[in-house]
Every structure is written in structure tokens, then in C-alpha cells.
Amino acid sequence: MSDAIGVILRELQYLLFSSAGIVIGVLAMYYILSREKLANALSKLGDWITKLSGLPGQCSLPFVASLFSPSTGSSMLVTMYSEGKLSRRELYIASLINTFPALLSHLRTLVPVLLSAMGLYGLIYLGLLILMGVTQMAMFAALGRVILKGKTTEIQMQRDAWKVRSTLNLRRVARLLLKMISTMVITTLAFTILDVFGFGELINLNLSKALSFLDPYAIGIVVAYIVSDVAAFAVAGTLLNNGYSGTVILEWLLIGYAMSSLFRGLRHNAPYYLGVYGPKDGLLILLISTSTRTSLALSFLGVLWLVQG
């Protein structure tokens, strides 16, 4: 009973903070879109990423906002898309690029735990995570530069020059917010019910069986990673203190990161992605981002194996 209450309280906290970020992002973006001079000035904040990827200049603001609140940055992108300032292709590319500042926002809270638990190897692992994030951002920026090149229709030229204005229509804002938050609440409720009935524990049990060919301590790190990052770092730190090879621990952490992306990542991010981007686009963006992140983690793992010989 106490476990169920804990799950419900965590989900309520998640909904509260995510909803607050969405509201701030939508209101801020509508306000900015209605003021051409302000929009042009703010679009220069991260213009390097928009020039690199071929995205419109206004996408730089959600990129910067995602450093502090990923839900705010994503809701800004969706607001621009709903107002005709972004095409669907641009929405996808911008959202996938924004996973990097979102990663930095997440790591900011984990750095003290990571370094205190693992020391030098914690710093190395932090570098690997950041390198994976940079690689993913660069991949989608390059893709954007290719698939968005030459998209110069009249509407797009007007949009890039901010000639199409938006007004802060409270009814339209309310409809957009209601659509986002209601979808997120319904999805969160569905996953919470699964958690309460032990679906997460069932996944961990079957995953442990599937990974039985690994060292038992490796399985411990992987399962801990699916539960939480902090738990995985604590287990890794304990193994380092007991004399285990730091390189081997890094390899196990990368396996845990890949498995966590597939299981905890999908479970944790699905309500947010489906709520902000809508069921169809949200699911596709989530699957692309998750599969890319998992593939990169396994690729880095392969490089470590090759280096280790």
C-alpha cells in the first residue's frame, strides 16, 4: 500500500512540474510571437544551432529554454507549430535537437551524486553522456540541414522574417493547454495504474533473466539504472571501492543506460511527449529519440570493448 502511495505521489509531482513548464512555455511563446522586435532579438540567443541545422531563427529560443526546463522548450516549439511558424519536419528536427539541452538540464542535478559516488570514473562517464548528447544533436542538425535545405515557399519566407504575427488569444491558448495537459494526465494515469499493479517489477524480473549471461553485478547496475540514475551510480561507486575495474564499470553503466532508455525512459517520457506533441507526433519523436540514444550508447560500448581489447 505504501509503495502504491509513493508511486502516486511521484506521478502527481511529475504532473505538477511538467504542467507548470508547459503553461509557461505556451504563454511565453504566444507573447513573443505577437511582438516582432522582441522575437527578432530573442532569436539571436542560439542562432548558431539554427544556422547549423537550417531551422528558422525563432527555434533558438526553445533550445535555450530547454536548458532550464525541457517541457517549456518543447511547448514553445508546439506553440510555433500550431501557429504555422514551423512545418512538421522542422518541429521534428527542432524537438530532436532539443534533447541535448534537455540532457544537460537533467545531468545538472546528477553531477554531484555522480562525482561523489564514482570520482574520476564518474567524470569520465559524465563526459561520455555529454559526448553522446552532442553526437545526437549533431546528427539531427546535419539531417535538418539536408532535408530543410531550399524550403523557401512564400509562407516560410514570411514566417522567417516574422511577418506573420500571432495574438494572445486566450481561448486559443486555453484550448492548446487543455489538449496538452489532458493527454499527459490520461497517459500518466494509465502508466501509474500499471506501476501500482507491479508492471515495472515484472519488467525488471524478466530483464534480469534475459541478461543472465552477464556478470551478476552488471545485472545489478542495469536493474538499478532502470529504477533510477542515482541508484545505479551508488552501486557503481560501491563496486569501484571494492576493487572492480573502472573501465568494466563504465561498460556496465552504458548497458544500463541503454536499457534504461528503452524501459524507464519510455515509461517516464511517454506522458510528456504524447501530451505536448500529441499522440501521433509525440510517439514518433519519442521512438526516434529513444532508439537513437540507445544505439549511441551501444556504439560507445562497442568502442570501449575494442579499446579494452
Side-chain angles (χ1 to χ4, degrees), residues 51-202:
K51 291 177 180 178
L52 185 67
S53 60
L55 288 167
Q58 61 265 36
C59 288
S60 62
L61 182 56
F63 181 84
V64 174
S66 293
L67 287 167
F68 306 97
S69 172
S71 59
T72 299
S74 296
S75 59
M76 284 179 165
L77 289 174
V78 174
T79 301
M80 287 191 288
Y81 174 66
S82 68
E83 289 297 302
K85 303 295 190 295
L86 292 179
S87 67
R88 178 173 263 106
R89 285 186 177 184
E90 289 167 338
L91 174 68
Y92 276 51
I93 293 296
S95 301
L96 293 166
I97 287 175
N98 275 16
T99 57
F100 176 62
L103 170 67
L104 294 182
S105 174
H106 177 61
L107 288 179
R108 186 176 64 239
T109 63
L110 296 178
V111 169
V113 179
L114 184 59
L115 297 183
S116 62
M118 297 177 57
L120 175 61
Y121 285 100
L123 186 62
I124 294 173
Y125 185 62
L126 176 65
L128 289 175
L129 291 178
I130 293 175
L131 184 57
M132 280 191 283
V134 171
T135 303
Q136 180 168 338
M137 178 182 69
M139 288 170 55
F140 288 115
L143 179 62
R145 196 164 186 84
V146 172
I147 68 174
L148 301 177
K149 187 176 181 180
K151 303 296 181 180
T152 54
T153 63
E154 181 180 353
I155 294 178
Q156 287 167 327
M157 288 189 292
Q158 288 179 340
R159 177 203 58 205
D160 292 339
W162 292 93
K163 292 177 182 178
V164 179
R165 288 175 170 244
S166 297
T167 58
L168 189 58
N169 185 310
L170 293 179
R171 182 174 295 178
R172 189 163 61 241
V173 172
R175 280 201 302 266
L176 181 59
L177 287 174
L178 180 62
K179 180 182 177 181
M180 288 182 178
I181 295 175
S182 61
T183 304
M184 188 169 64
V185 168
I186 292 171
T187 312
T188 301
L189 179 61
F191 278 107
T192 302
I193 293 172
L194 291 175
D195 283 345
V196 168
F197 283 96
F199 185 70
E201 295 178 3
L202 182 62

Side-chain angles (χ1 to χ4, degrees), residues 15 20 42 65 75 110 127 130 215-216 226 229-230 273 288 297 301 306:
L15 279 175
L42 291 176
S75 59
L110 296 178
I130 293 175
D215 186 292
I226 292 175
D229 299 331
V230 174
Y273 273 87
I288 293 172
L301 174 63
L306 290 175

